């Protein structure tokens, strides 16, 4: 079978021929239909991600497909079951995954939606509800708002009753933010983020996958007792936080790595996914996939992420 693999951290990924895997106890074999791409993949390809699999390994954290075979002690996911699952090795025609991490999806949910669903919506939902404890009526500032997690943070923030201030680069990206429910729009290219947020009443909660100067501006626009969630550093700049600013305004800055919950509190992710799939079935969520490319064009798909030419999610399809 074909797989898009990292053979060396000094070389670009390549499409290679590998043996089709066999499921072991507690595992399922999926015929993979689609895989969602994430910024974490770009770091993983360089050996710079929080998790560093042994070489060689297959990229792709976010998978959707059909069960074709099960290992021992797997009784609830018979062959033919359509599922989403995370954990890696998604950019391949087949893959083996722990049955405990797989979640059946509705029959009318396209695989491209399922592959765009788990990381972006899961990250935003657990971040906003479990970590930030967002409350109805609060001002939520979303940085990098036109990206995969940014758009989902807008949608979920609105479902939770917040007033959402979306910050993104350029009119086209801001138009997409508005289309998914953002109440206010800030152009990070031309607007003074601090002054624009303060003019809207300040931020009570900040969702930040960007870092850098945008984090610093957001922190200065916070209301007393605001909470800032550090989701990532898409800017490439990890900000240094002056503790005296936290003291003066009684601010809380929280680190957040969604994938970590798979290790120390997996029930948080399972419960979140069930609620999110329910919201999808009710028509309350609609994944935004700006590009869907075949496996043979995986390199081009990742370049869309790297160059920030995509909005929402980029998905690679296997057929």
């Amino acid at each position: 079978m074909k797989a898009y693999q990292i053979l060396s951290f000094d070389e670009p990924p390549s499409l290679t021929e590998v043996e089709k895997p066999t499921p072991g106890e507690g595992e399922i074999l999926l015929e993979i239909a689609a895989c969602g791409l994430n910024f974490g993949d770009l770091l993983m390809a360089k050996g710079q991600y929080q998790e560093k699999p042994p070489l060689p390994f297959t990229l792709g954290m976010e998978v959707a497909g059909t069960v074709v075979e099960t290992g021992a002690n797997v009784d609830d996911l018979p062959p033919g079951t359509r599922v989403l699952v995370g954990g890696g090795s998604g950019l391949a025609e087949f893959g083996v995954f722990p049955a405990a991490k797989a979640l059946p999806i509705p029959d009318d949910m396209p695989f491209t939606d399922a592959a765009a669903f788990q990381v972006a919506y899961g990250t935003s939902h657990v971040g906003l509800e479990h970590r930030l404890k967002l409350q109805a009526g609060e001002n939520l500032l979303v940085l990098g708002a036109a990206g995969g997690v940014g758009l989902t943070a807008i949608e979920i923030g609105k479902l939770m009753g917040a007033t959402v201030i979306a910050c993104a680069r350029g009119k086209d990206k801001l138009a997409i933010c508005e289309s998914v429910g953002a109440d206010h729009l800030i152009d990070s290219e031309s607007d003074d983020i601090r002054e624009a947020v303060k003019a809207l009443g300040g931020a009570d909660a900040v969702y930040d996958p960007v870092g850098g100067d945008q984090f610093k501006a957001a922190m200065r626009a916070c209301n007393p007792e605001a909470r800032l969630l550090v989701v990532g550093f898409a800017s490439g700049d990890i900000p240094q936080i002056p503790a005296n600013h936290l003291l003066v305004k009684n601010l809380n800055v929280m680190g957040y790595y969604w994938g970590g919950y798979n290790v120390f509190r997996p029930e948080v992710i399972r419960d979140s996914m069930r609620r999110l799939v329910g919201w999808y079935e009710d028509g309350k969520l609609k994944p935004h996939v700006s590009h869907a490319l075949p496996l043979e064009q995986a390199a081009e798909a990742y370049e869309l992420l790297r160059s920030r030419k995509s909005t929402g999610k980029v998905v690679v399809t296997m057929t």
Side-chain angles (χ1 to χ4, degrees):
M1 70 173 195
K2 295 177 182 177
Y4 192 64
Q5 289 200 319
I6 300 295
L7 305 178
S8 166
F9 294 127
D10 298 323
E11 301 174 3
S14 59
L15 193 61
T16 60
E17 291 284 339
V18 300
E19 291 294 321
K20 182 178 174 181
T22 301
E25 183 175 358
E27 294 180 330
I28 55 174
L29 174 67
L30 285 189
E31 182 177 4
I32 298 172
C35 178
L37 306 190
N38 295 277
F39 274 103
D41 298 341
L42 301 176
L43 297 176
M44 190 174 287
K46 297 179 180 179
Q48 298 173 351
Y49 194 58
Q50 295 99 319
E51 300 170 10
K52 193 173 180 179
L55 295 168
F57 63 88
T58 302
L59 283 171
M61 303 179 188
E62 202 168 4
V63 186
T66 304
V67 177
V68 293
E69 187 181 343
T70 61
N73 299 320
V74 178
D75 302 318
D76 54 348
L77 295 171
T81 305
R82 304 168 76 251
V83 300
L84 59 78
V85 65
S89 301
L91 285 175
E93 294 176 311
F94 293 87
V96 164
F97 303 92
K101 291 186 177 181
L103 180 70
I105 59 174
D107 290 340
D108 59 354
M109 186 181 204
F111 284 124
T112 49
D113 277 7
F117 195 82
Q118 188 171 197
V119 172
Y121 281 109
T123 297
S124 291
H125 181 239
V126 174
L128 293 177
E129 182 173 270
H130 184 74
R131 292 293 282 147
L132 272 177
K133 301 189 186 306
L134 185 67
Q135 302 297 308
E138 289 190 312
N139 277 357
L140 169 66
L141 172 61
V142 179
L143 302 178
V149 294
L151 287 176
T152 58
I154 294 172
E155 287 185 274
I156 293 171
K158 289 301 296 179
L159 283 174
M160 294 177 69
T163 297
V164 179
I165 304 168
C167 181
R169 184 178 299 171
K171 292 182 179 180
D172 291 344
K173 289 187 175 182
L174 287 172
I176 295 171
C177 296
E178 187 174 34
S179 74
V180 300
D183 298 288
H184 305 287
L185 307 173
I186 296 174
D187 191 333
S188 61
E189 280 189 321
S190 57
D191 294 333
D192 183 318
I193 295 174
R194 177 193 180 192
E195 293 303 320
V197 173
K198 289 179 69 175
L200 294 169
D204 302 306
V206 177
Y207 184 92
D208 178 24
V210 177
D213 290 339
Q214 291 193 33
F215 174 89
K216 297 173 187 176
M219 187 173 67
R220 297 176 72 190
C222 279
N223 294 323
E225 295 191 327
R227 294 95 63 211
L228 299 93
L229 193 68
V230 177
V231 182
F233 311 104
S235 68
D237 180 3
I238 300 175
Q240 301 303 301
I241 301 169
N244 60 317
H245 289 194
L246 307 183
L247 183 151
V248 170
K249 282 191 175 180
N250 291 287
L251 301 179
N252 292 293
V253 178
M254 292 173 276
Y256 174 50
Y257 171 41
W258 177 77
Y261 283 93
N262 275 315
V263 178
F264 61 86
R265 288 197 63 188
E267 73 279 3
V268 171
I269 290 183
R270 287 198 300 269
D271 293 346
S272 171
M273 278 296 113
R274 292 190 182 99
R275 186 181 307 184
L276 288 166
V277 170
W279 279 344
Y280 179 92
E281 290 183 283
D282 292 341
K284 295 178 179 179
L285 301 175
K286 177 58 181 173
H288 177 83
V289 178
S290 65
H291 298 82
L293 284 76
L295 182 60
E296 290 74 16
Q297 293 179 247
E300 291 93 325
Y302 275 119
E303 184 56 32
L304 289 167
L305 277 188
R306 188 179 291 105
S307 63
R308 308 192 195 288
K309 292 181 179 178
S310 61
T311 55
K313 294 290 289 188
V314 176
V315 171
V316 169
T317 58
M318 307 309 147
T319 56

